[in-house]
């Protein structure tokens, strides 16, 4: 009898704890529950879209501050030349590349 009472008290305590717990839904779950989105895949796509738009906004703000750099055919050639030079230096240092 005592064990049954202890078990009952345990279950009552557990029930009370669960009843008092507040479950927080993720934004994706809220969007699906509200009917705004139908599937989890839609929520992932929407979140990815929002992240891309945010990155574009940051890039545009950076350009507006003058922090960006202009990309042209010549700047790409210069970059490729610089990368090749640095790579050759590293390979020579490791003994993998003989200079001409």
């Amino acid at each position: 009898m005592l064990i049954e009472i202890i078990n009952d008290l345990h279950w009552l305590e557990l029930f009370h704890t669960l009843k008092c717990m507040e479950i927080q839904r993720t934004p994706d779950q809220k969007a699906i529950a509200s009917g705004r989105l139908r599937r989890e895949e839609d929520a992932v796509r929407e979140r990815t879209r929002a992240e891309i738009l945010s990155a574009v906004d940051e890039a545009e703000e950076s350009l507006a501050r003058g922090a960006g750099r202009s990309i042209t055919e010549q700047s790409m050639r210069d970059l490729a030349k610089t990368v090749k030079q640095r790579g050759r230096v590293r390979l020579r240092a490791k003994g993998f590349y003989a200079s001409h």
Side-chain angles (χ1 to χ4, degrees):
M1 179 82 168
L2 182 58
I3 293 175
E4 289 176 17
I5 292 172
I6 291 172
N7 282 338
D8 288 345
L9 288 175
H10 175 72
W11 283 111
L12 284 172
E13 183 180 318
L14 180 62
F15 176 75
H16 178 71
T17 301
L18 292 174
K19 187 178 172 185
C20 294
M21 286 178 64
E22 185 176 335
I23 309 266
Q24 297 290 326
R25 289 184 175 174
T26 66
D28 291 350
Q29 291 170 330
K30 289 177 185 177
I32 293 168
S34 72
R36 189 172 68 80
L37 299 174
R38 291 184 179 187
R39 302 173 304 171
E40 188 175 334
E41 293 83 13
D42 297 334
V44 170
R45 188 176 301 113
E46 182 73 19
R47 188 172 0 98
T48 302
R49 180 181 175 278
E51 290 169 358
I52 291 170
L53 291 175
S54 176
V56 169
D57 288 344
E58 287 179 36
E60 288 175 343
E61 290 169 8
S62 174
L63 288 173
R65 290 190 311 269
R69 98 173 58 167
S70 189
I71 305 293
T72 63
E73 278 189 50
Q74 186 59 48
S75 70
M76 288 292 97
R77 284 189 193 104
D78 294 342
L79 175 62
K81 183 179 176 182
T82 302
V83 169
K84 286 179 187 178
Q85 287 172 342
R86 287 192 320 228
R88 288 179 182 135
V89 167
R90 289 176 63 190
L91 288 173
R92 274 189 212 106
K94 292 182 178 187
F96 293 118
Y97 187 81
S99 59
H100 294 44

